[in-house]
Amino acid sequence: MAWQTFPMANSPTGESVISRVVRLMAAFDRQVPSMSLSELSQRAGLPMTTAHRLVEEMLKHGLMERDADGQLRVGVRLWELAARGSQALSLREIALPYMEDVQAAVHQYTTLAVLDHGSVLYLERLSAPDSAAKRALDAAHIAQRAPLHATSSGLVLLAYSPTWLQQEVLAAPLEKVTEETITDPPTIRRHLAEIRQRGYAALPGIAVKGWTGIAVPVFSSGNTIAAALNATVPSGETNVPFTVPALLTAAHGISRALGAGAPSGPRRR
Amino acid sequence: MAWQTFPMANSPTGESVISRVVRLMAAFDRQVPSMSLSELSQRAGLPMTTAHRLVEEMLKHGLMERDADGQLRVGVRLWELAARGSQALSLREIALPYMEDVQAAVHQYTTLAVLDHGSVLYLERLSAPDSAAKRALDAAHIAQRAPLHATSSGLVLLAYSPTWLQQEVLAAPLEKVTEETITDPPTIRRHLAEIRQRGYAALPGIAVKGWTGIAVPVFSSGNTIAAALNATVPSGETNVPFTVPALLTAAHGISRALGAGAPSGPRRR
DNA sequence: CCCGCTTTTCCGATGATCGGAAAGCCGATA
DNA sequence: TATCGGCTTTCCGATCATCGGAAAAGCGGG
């Protein structure tokens, strides 16, 4: 999780090129997808000259691009490289049709997320047709992260993770995202047990006030947890019992497609 | 397009770290998503020691990962960085609901592609329920590239591109992907004109024998071409006239969502 | 025309990078 | 158990890419 933040400024020397490049790329996000060189150098904490040289090189390889205004953006080539190799993305590709099935049955936000480096990482999201939800649930964007303890997906992922990981997560300070966010480790443990027993999580308001996250586990070969499939519905309505079977069905389909069920998955490659 | 191939082997010195890193990442693809260090060093054309050092550093930043067997893969963190910033990906996100609409109407492979560095790059693909197509059309995978002249999407992208780009593409040698692939520049020019006039492309067998690609343009603000929306149907059937309006409707919706229509798009950011 | 801003070029010093050599490690084979 | 072969990791001296300050070159806007 070390690279999650921009900890130190530029060390005058003693830092690898790779970490500088990562800092440059991490300077971009959904809010600020393009910027000038000087802004980039500031946000990345690199001297102008260094930023200039590295950016120039990255442009040459398509890792960055200039848009019409000459502003810098992350290049498609980078996405191409990342998407071609990543297993998470092939998971997404397999899951997508099943997600559409869910979407067709329950007309709500549907997301697919994995556990990576101690947080929830959203791989895919299908949006509800109605736009009220659109505003409220803007948190769960694709390629966005969220804390494990404050999302239904996170709790499901945690519930089926090895004990050492659970302990590690619960030992760290837990942020209160909303009023309802559960931050008490023993209570969370109880919830995790309940999730494992029931096979799904349904928790009102822990991530977004007024909305209930419902999530179920997706397993891969070896029956290890691979992802969480989630739908988010307005709290208070009685659609939780309606949504859960839809998610379970889809999740089961995805798990089967991933080769779950076999006692220990076949070695890939 | 220089980075498209692995041209030269390792130059004993005089090559930037960035280009080495790109070579390492480019060594992975859909067929070989994970490999050992020694295999990686070979495929990337780097000395073992150098590969070892760089990989170690990349692992630290999450750009690569080790799977259960200790094999190396591309890390999700890389995808996260790429997806957060890339404009192409936000285009994908906007287009997805419309693609689902198309998918619901015509039950065929539906893809979204952009023109990048002289080739077609597929951003998204929704697969047809039937699995016959699945095998035949495995070419148009997500994050995969295809030549501009040998796909319906490519020809649409080319038709609405500036003339200098068309000339550049047509000047290069054009590969014959199938029997039907058109490789004669004047003929292609005629097709491009026809595409512009009709507003869509429908060409049988140029990419995959027995299948007809149908593609329409998607415009962004400033009415410049942003992407191509495509559906692929079995040749010979009479479903082309059925598919075209569905694609046009969806493409129009996406274009509107992207801010097309205004004479010159508002400056972003 | 001038001013403030961003971008680009220049260049000397320096330490990260390079990669050969060799040691470790591990599983397979005898 | 001993030997072998392949893969991985450590070590280390030479060197060259990298670093970043300084200054020049663009680029609007007033």
Side-chain angles (χ1 to χ4, degrees), chain A residues 10 12 49-50 53:
Chain A
N10 172 28
T49 322
T50 302
R53 180 169 28 82

Side-chain angles (χ1 to χ4, degrees), chain A residues 115 157-168 196 224-225:
Chain A
L115 170 46
L157 289 167
L158 207 50
Y160 292 89
S161 291
T163 322
W164 63 264
L165 210 170
Q166 296 178 1
Q167 287 174 340
E168 199 178 296
R196 272 193 305 274
T224 55
I225 181 102

Side-chain angles (χ1 to χ4, degrees), chain B residues 1-253:
Chain B
M1 224 199 293
W3 38 259
Q4 269 232 52
T5 53
F6 301 117
M8 54 194 174
N10 171 28
S11 77
T13 177
E15 194 188 15
S16 74
V17 174
I18 290 178
S19 94
R20 286 175 147 100
V21 167
V22 170
R23 285 239 295 286
L24 284 171
M25 297 197 298
F28 296 90
D29 59 23
R30 183 166 297 274
Q31 280 71 45
V32 190
S34 69
M35 62 186 84
S36 71
L37 176 63
S38 56
E39 188 176 351
L40 176 57
S41 82
Q42 281 190 330
R43 290 177 60 109
L46 292 173
M48 270 286 293
T49 323
T50 301
H52 178 263
R53 181 169 29 82
L54 292 177
V55 165
E56 208 63 34
E57 183 76 20
M58 292 170 77
L59 285 169
K60 229 185 339 202
H61 291 276
L63 304 185
M64 281 197 186
E65 290 168 2
R66 306 203 101 104
D67 64 13
D69 312 351
Q71 300 257 296
L72 296 165
R73 343 176 95 271
V74 176
V76 242
R77 169 70 173 157
L78 184 66
W79 172 80
E80 184 192 350
L81 286 172
R84 277 197 330 190
S86 171
Q87 71 190 334
L89 270 288
S90 63
L91 165 60
R92 187 209 75 99
E93 214 168 330
I94 290 169
L96 188 54
Y98 297 94
M99 292 180 71
E100 283 166 23
D101 295 346
V102 174
Q103 177 73 356
V106 307
H107 299 280
Q108 303 291 351
Y109 262 55
T110 312
T111 67
L112 182 75
V114 293
L115 170 46
D116 180 69
H117 286 271
S119 50
V120 179
L121 179 63
Y122 290 96
L123 295 185
E124 182 58 288
R125 183 189 70 170
L126 301 184
S127 15
D130 98 80
S131 59
K134 211 155 216 157
R135 247 160 291 282
L137 304 178
D138 226 29
H141 252 293
I142 293 173
Q144 225 69 13
R145 287 179 182 267
L148 282 170
H149 70 283
T151 53
S152 61
S153 299
L155 289 174
V156 162
L157 289 168
L158 206 50
Y160 293 90
S161 290
T163 322
W164 62 263
L165 211 169
Q166 297 178 1
Q167 288 175 339
E168 198 179 297
V169 170
L170 296 183
L174 303 175
E175 194 200 349
K176 221 169 167 58
V177 177
T178 70
E179 298 273 315
E180 265 88 5
T181 305
I182 311 156
T183 55
D184 175 48
T187 314
I188 292 182
R189 267 181 227 282
R190 236 180 311 115
H191 277 287
L192 295 184
E194 197 177 309
I195 290 167
R196 272 194 304 275
Q197 193 214 314
R198 287 192 185 167
Y200 71 90
L203 294 142
I206 60 166
V208 184
K209 194 172 154 61
W211 293 83
T212 298
I214 308 171
V216 301
V218 172
F219 298 100
S220 67
S221 58
N223 290 326
T224 55
I225 181 102
L229 188 65
N230 148 280
T232 305
V233 305
S235 296
E237 301 190 21
T238 57
N239 36 21
V240 171
F242 181 81
T243 308
V244 169
L247 288 175
L248 284 172
T249 306
H252 195 261

